[in-house]
Amino acid sequence: MSHFSKSRSSVFDDVNRAPNRAMIRAMGITDEDFNKPFVGIASTWSEVTPCNMHIDELARKAKQGTIEGGGAPFIFNTITVSDGISMGTEGMRYSLPSREVIADSIETVVGAQNYDGVVAIGGCDKNMPGCMIAIGRLNLPAVFVYGGTIRPGKVDGKDIDIVSAFEAVGKYNNGDINREELHTIECHACPGAGSCGGMYTANTMASAIEAMGMSLPGSSSNPAETEEKLQDCIEAGHAVMNLLNKGITPKDIMTKKAFENAITVVMALGGSTNAVLHLLAMAHTVQVDLQLDDFERIRKKVPHIADLKPSGRFVMEDLSKVGGVPAVMKLLLDKGLLHGDCLTVTGKTLEENLTECQSLNEGQEIISFEQPKRKTGPLVILKGNLAPEGALAKMSGLKIKKITGPARVFDSETDATSAVLNNEIHPGDVIVIRYVGPKGGPGMAEMLSITAIVVGKGLGEKVGLITDGRFSGGTHGLVVGHISPEAQVGGPIALIKEGDMITIDSEAQVLAVDLSSEEFDERLKNWSAPEQHLKGVLAKYARSVSSASKGAITD
C-alpha cells in the first residue's frame, strides 16, 4: 500500500510559487485551503447526450463531499460523444477514439495542475474506461462515479428503450409496423437523463468498475435521476479524502484478482462484449497481465444469472429496486465466485462492504442462480483460421448456437445495411463487414444499427454476421466481432471472397472459413491495404492503436 508523506499540492508552498498561488486564489482558495489536498473533479457533463446532461449537478455534489471531507476540489470537464446518436453514421468512428481522448485529457489536467486525488464522473459508454485508464495511469487516490441509468420509456404500458427504436427500423422496413408506430417508439424510447437502460455497455462497465472496487457500493445501479445518485457523488468526495488519508492508490485496488471479480460480474449479468476490450485496456494501464484466456477461464465457471436486456426482460432500474449490483455480488460471493479479500475505495475489503449490503429481495424475478439463462458466461472467445488472435461473440438467449453459410462480403457497414434493407440477405448467409477494425475504421465502429435491423427483420437467428469492428452492448444475435488480426493489417478476414463457406460455432468456439492455408497465402500475395486518406485525431489513432485482442490501446 502506498503512503503519501507530502501532498502534490505542496509544490505550491515555496516562496517562488507566489505567482502560481495568486492564480489559484482567484478561484476563492485561501491560506487554509493551501494546507488541504487538491482534488480534481473530472466531469463529463455536456449537452450532446442524455447520458451526460445531468452530470454538472453530480460534479457539484462531488465537490461538496470533498469539501466536507477536508479537501480543496476543482471541477474540470472532458468530452463525451454519444454512441447512440452517432450509431450507423460516419461519426461512429470517433466513439472508441473518444475513450483515449477522455483518458488523455484527464491525465493532462490532473498532471498539469498537480492535483492530489481524483473523483471522475462518467455517463456514456466510453466515459467509464476513459476515466479508469486515466486513473490507472495517474495512480493517485481516486473514486469513479457512474452518472446512472436512464428510466425505461413506455409505449402501451410496455417498457421500451433505445434498442427498441433501432429494432423498430427493421420492423418498419419489413412492414410489421407503420410509420406512426415507429414515430411513437422514437418519441418515447428515452424519457430523460441517464445512460441506456439495459445491460448494455455503460451499465456493464459501471458494474465491472464497482466489482473491481473502484466505485462505492450500489453506485453502479442507482439510476441517474434519483436522490441516491446525488448521495453517491457526495460520498465519493468523502471517500477520496479517506483514500488520501490512508494513502490508498488505484494500483492497490486494481489487482489481477480485482479484474477477475469484474469479469465474474460481467459474465453473471450478461454484459456487453465491449467489457472485454475495455477491461484489457484498463489492465494494461496498471501493469496487470490480463489476457483473452482469463475471460475464457472465468466464463466456464460463472453462470449467466440475470434476466436483463438485450437478452432478457428487465433493465438496470429494475435491478436497483431489488438490491442492485451489491446484492448480486453478495450472491456471487456466497457461491464462492468472487475474491472477498480485495481492497476497495471504501478502504475496506469487498467482503466487508457486502456484509453491510442487503441481499436480493424475496420473490424477485431478475436474478436466478438456480435457473440461469446459461450455465456458463455468455461472452465467448472464438478462434480459428479467420481469427488467429481471437474473436468475440455474445451467446445469450440464442437457440441457434452455430451456422455454416456463404460469405456475403462488404467493406463498410453502410453497404451491408443497404443489402439487408433491400432484402438481398437470405437465411443461411453469413454477413462479413470488414475494414472497420481499430486501424481500418479507423475507430472500430459499433454495429448496433445493422444488427438491430437484422433482428427487426426476423433474421436474428437465421443469418450470421462477422466483423473486425465491434458491437453495442444492445446487440444480440448470431454475431461475432473483434476479429483479430483485422483486415487493414492483412488479417484473414481481408482475404474472404463472396461465397466462401464460413462457420460460426459457439459451442466448439470456432470461427473458420473453408479455405486451405495455401489458398490464403495465394490470396495474400494479391492483397494490399486500402489507402485511408486520414487526418487529425483519426489519423493519429490509426497510427498508434493496437489490436482489439490487446484492448485497442494507444499507449
Side-chain angles (χ1 to χ4, degrees), residues 408-425:
R408 305 298 309 281
V409 183
F410 303 94
D411 290 348
S412 76
E413 182 189 2
T414 305
D415 291 345
T417 301
S418 296
V420 174
L421 290 172
N422 292 332
N423 300 314
E424 294 165 17
I425 302 298

Side-chain angles (χ1 to χ4, degrees), residues 122-341:
C124 198
D125 296 8
K126 304 311 166 300
N127 298 179
M128 264 72 65
C131 289
M132 291 304 301
I133 288 168
I135 283 169
R137 287 180 194 162
L138 291 160
N139 199 35
L140 296 168
V143 179
F144 177 78
V145 187
Y146 176 40
T149 185
I150 196 170
R151 300 189 314 275
K154 295 274 186 190
V155 169
D156 299 329
K158 291 182 180 173
D159 285 355
I160 64 165
D161 62 14
I162 188 63
V163 176
S164 311
F166 278 106
E167 291 180 359
V169 175
K171 290 178 181 175
Y172 172 72
N173 177 264
N174 230 26
D176 297 333
I177 61 173
N178 61 33
R179 187 72 183 82
E180 188 180 340
E181 289 169 307
L182 176 61
H183 185 66
T184 299
I185 292 168
E186 173 189 328
C187 292
H188 292 86
C190 300
S195 302
C196 299
M199 193 43 61
Y200 311 141
T201 302
N203 283 325
T204 297
M205 290 312 302
S207 303
I209 293 165
E210 180 176 329
M212 190 183 294
M214 286 300 298
S215 287
L216 293 171
S219 61
S220 66
S221 41
N222 287 335
E225 297 180 297
T226 59
E227 282 301 316
E228 288 82 0
K229 182 51 61 186
L230 297 174
Q231 195 60 36
D232 286 342
C233 295
I234 294 171
E235 289 175 7
H238 298 167
V240 77
M241 295 309 300
N242 181 47
L243 294 172
L244 277 156
N245 291 333
K246 292 185 172 178
I248 297 172
T249 66
K251 284 186 181 178
D252 299 322
I253 296 171
M254 295 169 69
T255 61
K256 179 70 177 269
K257 285 162 72 172
F259 277 96
E260 290 179 347
N261 284 344
I263 295 167
T264 297
V265 168
V266 168
M267 293 292 180
L269 293 175
S272 164
T273 51
N274 284 313
V276 177
L277 198 70
H278 298 323
L279 289 170
L280 287 169
M282 288 158 54
H284 174 79
T285 65
V286 289
Q287 294 83 50
V288 165
D289 181 24
L290 194 66
Q291 306 287 337
L292 287 176
D293 290 346
D294 292 307
F295 289 83
E296 193 53 33
R297 171 173 55 83
I298 294 166
R299 182 189 73 80
K300 287 175 178 172
K301 64 179 184 179
V302 178
H304 175 191
I305 60 174
D307 192 6
L308 293 166
K309 291 186 175 190
S311 45
R313 295 175 292 163
F314 298 98
V315 294
M316 189 62 131
E317 185 182 59
D318 298 322
L319 182 62
S320 75
K321 291 173 182 173
V322 300
V325 169
V328 177
M329 289 170 63
K330 193 164 187 167
L331 173 63
L332 293 170
L333 183 67
D334 289 344
K335 300 294 183 182
L337 293 172
L338 290 176
H339 303 292
D341 58 344

